[in-house]
Structures are given as structure tokens and as C-alpha cells.
Amino acid sequence: MAKTQTPADRIAELRQRIDDANYRYYVLDDPAIPDAEFDRLLRELQSLEAEHPDLVTPDSPTQRVGIAPSGTFAEVRHAIPMLSLGNAFTDEEVADFERRIEEKLGRRAPKFSVEPKLDGLAISLRYENGRFVQGATRGDGATGEDVTANLRTIKAIPLQLRGTGWPAVLEVRGEVYMPLEAFRKYNERAVKEGGKVLANPRNGAAGSLRQLDPRITAQRPLAFYAYAVGIVEGAELPPTHSQTLAKLREWGFPVSALNDVVAGAEGLLGYYSGIGKRRESLPFDIDGVVYKLDDYEGQREMGFVSRAPRWAIAHKFPAQEQSTV
Ligand SMILES: Cc1ccc2cc(C(N)=O)cc(O)c2n1
């Protein structure tokens, strides 16, 4: 610690450097400092906070792993239901989906926000004044389980939003998943040490997130991609989904670099075949791609049928042989 620096200043500086390193590593996928340096910073912060417990706050990177709370998960109602997506399996079904939108909106080749469909677990994260306050599983779309303590252990999920201009209340929806390489390494170690071997990355993510003890979740290699927003209070969002995703990236959320904006049925099918060709080499399991009409005005006009939106659809790939142990 520099001579002039107070413990509080040093703690603030360490937190900033650790948060920046996490952001670079988990969100930008562009690590800035070597792991050993990161561990040293975290150890110094942990010992400083141990000496000054009054300076510890919930958004400190040392507070990601809590202790086992109660025996069950509380219920969380999703004020804005977490949607399920209709599925398309053929090019014709995609063409029909796009044509219905052209006809209803009276537009030619509307713009779509497109992305890979990760094979993980859908969750919703609530931020108040930029601080992560609650996270829940999708459940049945209307009610999920409160898994806040477990989500806090995932370093790709910001405890405090970055940048500026975020709403007073912001709900971010996304997918928790287990990267394939991390899944394999975890299982190799589990086999060697007699730990729990995970059947496949998707079940690994779901099982890890629904552990009653966050210390177990903290040992599981979980990642996260944001893909939508729910409640937004106290600020206007941009007029399109793709611009909102760019804002989420600015505020500290990982957003897939494979996302794109395309026009019309041709653009959709071109994206689908492009991702299809890369599927085997992606670092995570996907089971299709997601097409969303990009402008929110058009989404409102299209509305929903039962719980699935008319303005979005998942175009699925043929089932892939499961990643075996
Ligand atoms: C509205 C909605 C619902 C489920 C989703 C699921 C995924 C996914 N599994 O990656 C991506 C999305 O953009 C989604 N969007």
C-alpha cells in the first residue's frame, strides 16, 4: 500500500482493478493481467477487508461466495414473464415466419437481431441502482426459484454495473451455460478425485445453479450470456434489440460476439447456415439460432401467441450426439 493511501483507498483501488480484470476476462474475453497477478490482488483485498470488516460491501469481488442460506429456494414471480420461443425446423417454416411479419407490418425484408441459441439454463437478473440484488431461474416462465447466492459466484455476472446511463431498475435475462472445455476439465478432475461427474454441459449448468450451497456452485465452471431485458424503470431503452444488447455489453454483461443483424428470410437462412458450419468448433453447446425482429415498435405490433412471441422464433439444428463424459 502506498504511504499516503488509506486502507479504504487501497481497498477501492484493488476492487476497481479486480473488477476490471474480471470484465476483461469474462466479458471481453481479453485478459489484461496474468492469473497469478489477479490472485495476488484478490488475496491483498481479502486480507485488507479482514482487517477492516466495516469496509466490506456486498458488491466487493470477495463477497461472491456466500454460505449455504436455508434449505430451499424462495419463489420469485417474473413481473414480465420469461418467454418461451416457438420453433422452426425447416427453411419453409422460417420463410413463413418472416413473411407473416412482412405482411402484418407492411415492410419488405425487415431487420432481425440474430444469435446462437445456447443450450443452458435461462435466468433473470435484477439490478437496483446498478447493484445486483436478485437472480432467479426461468421456472415455468411466470415463477422461478431465487438462486441469487449461486449466481453471485459466476464471475461473468457483474455485481455492480459498469459505465453510465443504466436504469434505476434493470432486469437482464440470459443463459447460464458451461463451456465445453471447462466441462471436460471439470469431469477429468472429478474422475481422478472421485468427485461428481457431470452428464453433459447443460445438466451440469442446471445442477450447479440449483445447489443449495453456493460454495459448491462456486467450484463449477459456469458462464453467462445476456440476451434480453425484462423490467426497465427510470430510463429509456434504445429503439432496437441490437442496440439494447450493445448497451448491456457497455454495462458489463457478456453478449455473444456471434450476434448479428440481418435482413429478410435470406439474411436469416444465411446466418443459420453460417452458424451451422461453425457449430462443431464453438466453445459451447448450441441447439439452434434465435431470430428476433429487431425494432421494439414492430415487436409490439406483432404481439404474442399464448406465451411465445410472434416476433421471434428459434430455428433448431438436428439433434447432435451429446458431449459424452
Ligand atoms: C425471448 C427469448 C427467450 C429465450 C431465449 C433463449 C436464448 C438462448 N437459449 O440462447 C436466447 C434468446 O435470445 C432467447 N430469447
Side-chain angles (χ1 to χ4, degrees):
M1 193 179 335
K3 298 255 177 315
T4 54
Q5 235 180 354
T6 66
D9 292 347
R10 181 63 179 162
I11 282 176
E13 180 196 339
L14 286 167
R15 279 194 196 153
Q16 188 59 50
R17 289 171 62 184
I18 291 165
D19 281 348
D20 286 350
N22 268 334
Y23 178 66
R24 295 281 305 259
Y25 187 93
Y26 289 101
V27 178
L28 304 183
D29 201 13
D30 169 23
I33 56 175
D35 292 0
E37 162 75 1
F38 179 87
D39 295 342
R40 193 191 62 71
L41 292 173
L42 192 56
R43 271 199 306 280
E44 186 186 343
L45 178 58
Q46 281 163 335
S47 62
L48 262 180
E49 287 186 345
E51 289 164 34
H52 305 275
D54 54 310
L55 295 176
V56 179
T57 58
D59 63 325
S60 170
T62 61
Q63 303 306 304
R64 280 190 177 275
V65 186
I67 50 169
S70 63
T72 57
F73 296 113
E75 275 202 349
V76 174
R77 253 196 93 56
H78 299 300
I80 296 180
M82 288 184 72
L83 304 167
S84 52
L85 291 172
N87 289 330
F89 293 93
T90 65
D91 291 3
E92 289 67 33
E93 288 171 353
V94 173
D96 291 346
F97 161 73
E98 197 270 346
R99 190 179 315 108
R100 278 196 299 275
I101 291 176
E102 282 197 353
E103 284 163 5
K104 175 130 172 120
L105 301 186
R107 284 187 223 165
R108 282 272 315 113
K111 292 268 179 59
F112 289 88
S113 173
V114 292
E115 63 195 82
K117 186 172 181 299
L118 281 100
D119 197 5
L121 199 76
I123 54 110
S124 184
L125 306 169
R126 182 182 172 89
Y127 290 77
E128 290 174 0
N129 301 314
R131 185 168 282 185
F132 178 46
V133 296
Q134 185 177 62
T137 60
R138 177 179 179 281
D140 62 6
T143 309
E145 295 169 321
D146 185 324
V147 287
T148 306
N150 293 340
L151 289 166
R152 289 175 59 86
T153 70
I154 302 176
K155 296 189 182 64
I157 292 178
L159 297 179
Q160 170 67 41
L161 298 186
R162 300 170 67 86
T164 57
W166 19 264
V169 177
L170 172 67
E171 222 177 42
V172 171
R173 272 89 192 267
E175 198 85 358
V176 167
Y177 67 96
M178 195 173 279
L180 289 173
E181 195 40 43
F183 164 75
R184 284 194 197 97
K185 279 205 191 105
Y186 182 89
N187 270 351
E188 266 168 26
R189 216 175 108 209
V191 167
K192 237 182 275 166
E193 298 172 0
K196 172 152 177 42
V197 175
L198 306 171
N200 60 61
R202 195 212 167 287
N203 295 352
S208 305
L209 212 46
R210 304 189 63 245
Q211 286 293 325
L212 287 171
D213 184 348
R215 288 168 295 189
I216 297 178
T217 311
Q219 287 149 17
R220 302 287 175 82
L222 296 177
F224 172 73
Y225 271 133
Y227 58 59
V229 292
I231 298 168
V232 174
E233 288 171 11
E236 280 300 300
L237 284 180
T240 67
H241 180 64
S242 51
Q243 288 167 308
T244 297
L245 292 178
K247 278 284 168 206
L248 294 184
R249 196 179 271 125
E250 257 178 58
W251 293 337
F253 295 98
V255 172
S256 175
L258 294 170
N259 291 8
D260 201 350
V261 177
V262 299
E266 201 179 312
L268 297 176
L269 295 174
Y271 179 75
Y272 175 82
S273 66
I275 295 290
K277 289 192 188 84
R278 301 172 60 176
R279 184 183 188 191
E280 294 306 313
S281 63
L282 293 180
F284 41 72
D285 274 346
I286 63 171
D287 59 353
V289 296
V290 176
Y291 307 138
K292 294 180 177 176
L293 183 65
D294 198 24
D295 68 298
Y296 288 136
E297 179 51 39
Q299 290 184 10
R300 277 189 289 275
E301 275 185 67
M302 291 308 295
F304 302 81
V305 54
S306 80
R307 265 216 296 272
R310 282 203 191 91
W311 44 266
I313 200 164
H315 184 179
K316 308 299 281 287
F317 288 124
Q320 189 183 25
E321 71 289 340
Q322 269 302 332
S323 330
T324 50
V325 169

